[in-house]
Amino acid sequence: TAAIEARDAALSFGETPALRGANLSVATGEIVAVMGPSGSGKSTLLHCLAGILVPDSGEIRFAGRRIDTLGERERSLLRRDTFGFVFQFGQLVPELTAAENVALPLLLGGVKRAAALAQARPWFDRLGLTGLEGRRSGELSGGQAQRVALARGLVARPQVLFADEPTGALDTLTGEQVMDLLVTAAREQGTTVVLVTHEARVAAYADRQVVVRDGRVNALVAA
Ligand code: ADP
Ligand code: ADP
């Protein structure tokens, strides 16, 4: 069975169709890049796969079981306990230290503060952030902040990591460093990754690339 799957998912915002029968099946441990023009439905697809949005029709399955039929609370628990997230601008809590930001998913999952911080610590060496544990995240550079966001997305060892333009706010070199770290860490812990990007160089890090056009998913066909 696939780790995460959309079957014929359709979703409109009012009169605006965002997804029109999207199909995507991501195998366990696979890293898939979702590309496509702005407004094509990439984020909406990611949000449906991650149980943030529920499609109007079609199915979303995690490990073979439907999640689109779950209630708000069950989906929220699934996101907290099973999925990890990385967004474009990191979306760290600026008043918290880098280490507290990384520990956040563990704290929300009920891990005690000392244990959560201890679990966060190895990520700093791993991602080239040694010494920045106590830095307020509002004082980090863009590349540092995005690596902290990546650590936060992976610290609870999620089964699926959802990354929406994780390099979108970074220059090319910094973005490639973040992608390299993301792919290495995901492979090490066998995490399935669904990555939305409009940058071909970023998508090239994935095992497979798909293209969303007008709310439908197509395999990438080389030009
Ligand atoms: P992409 O990620 O490819 O840029 P989106 O999934 O964000 O595309 O958006 C797909 C379409 O749905 C666009 O027309 C967008 O304006 C619309 N849309 C997305 N989210 C919302 C929303 N919350 N409310 C209204 N329209 C939305
Ligand atoms: P992305 O660049 O990843 O597509 P956006 O900046 O378009 O993300 O959207 C950020 C958030 O705003 C998302 O949660 C999306 O659902 C929502 N959104 C996108 N388009 C619209 C819209 N036209 N109206 C309201 N909300 C929107």
Side-chain angles (χ1 to χ4, degrees):
T1 46
I4 194 86
E5 187 174 16
R7 292 188 191 171
D8 261 335
L11 176 60
S12 294
F13 295 101
E15 299 290 290
T16 309
L19 294 180
R20 314 176 189 234
N23 288 284
L24 178 65
S25 179
V26 182
T28 301
E30 191 181 22
I31 300 176
V32 170
V34 178
M35 302 196 62
S38 182
S40 60
K42 302 183 296 297
S43 289
T44 304
L45 174 62
L46 183 110
H47 292 159
C48 285
L49 290 170
I52 295 169
L53 290 173
V54 174
D56 300 327
S57 62
E59 299 180 357
I60 306 294
R61 288 176 185 264
F62 166 67
R65 299 163 79 167
R66 284 187 72 169
I67 63 167
D68 57 289
T69 50
L70 299 175
E72 185 63 54
R73 166 143 184 89
E74 285 170 294
R75 281 185 287 110
S76 158
L77 290 174
L78 181 76
R79 293 195 299 270
R80 190 191 75 186
D81 298 334
T82 316
F83 297 158
F85 296 89
V86 187
F87 300 104
Q88 179 165 8
F89 296 108
Q91 299 188 5
L92 302 175
V93 183
E95 298 81 14
L96 297 182
T97 66
E100 288 166 339
N101 269 284
V102 174
L104 214 48
L106 301 169
L107 295 168
L108 294 175
V111 178
K112 294 268 193 301
R113 181 178 165 85
L117 288 171
Q119 226 174 302
R121 207 159 296 131
W123 284 96
F124 284 80
D125 288 340
R126 202 166 174 183
L127 299 186
L129 295 165
T130 306
L132 295 177
E133 291 87 339
R135 189 74 59 88
R136 292 247 213 118
S137 62
E139 294 162 8
L140 299 170
S141 73
Q144 290 167 344
Q146 203 56 342
R147 279 178 283 159
V148 169
L150 176 57
R152 185 182 57 183
L154 287 169
V155 72
R157 298 190 153 268
Q159 295 192 45
V160 185
L161 180 72
F162 294 96
D164 198 347
E165 300 280 8
T167 64
L170 306 176
D171 63 68
T172 303
L173 179 62
T174 312
E176 290 188 357
Q177 287 167 347
V178 166
M179 277 311 299
D180 201 26
L181 292 165
L182 188 159
V183 166
T184 302
R187 288 209 200 290
E188 261 174 41
Q189 51 186 48
T191 306
T192 304
V193 178
V194 182
L195 159 76
V196 164
T197 181
H198 62 269
E199 295 175 85
R201 297 172 67 131
V202 170
Y205 283 86
D207 298 320
R208 178 160 62 101
Q209 302 178 28
V210 299
V211 181
V212 177
R213 281 190 211 291
D214 297 329
R216 291 192 190 87
V217 184
N218 304 302
L220 182 75
V221 180

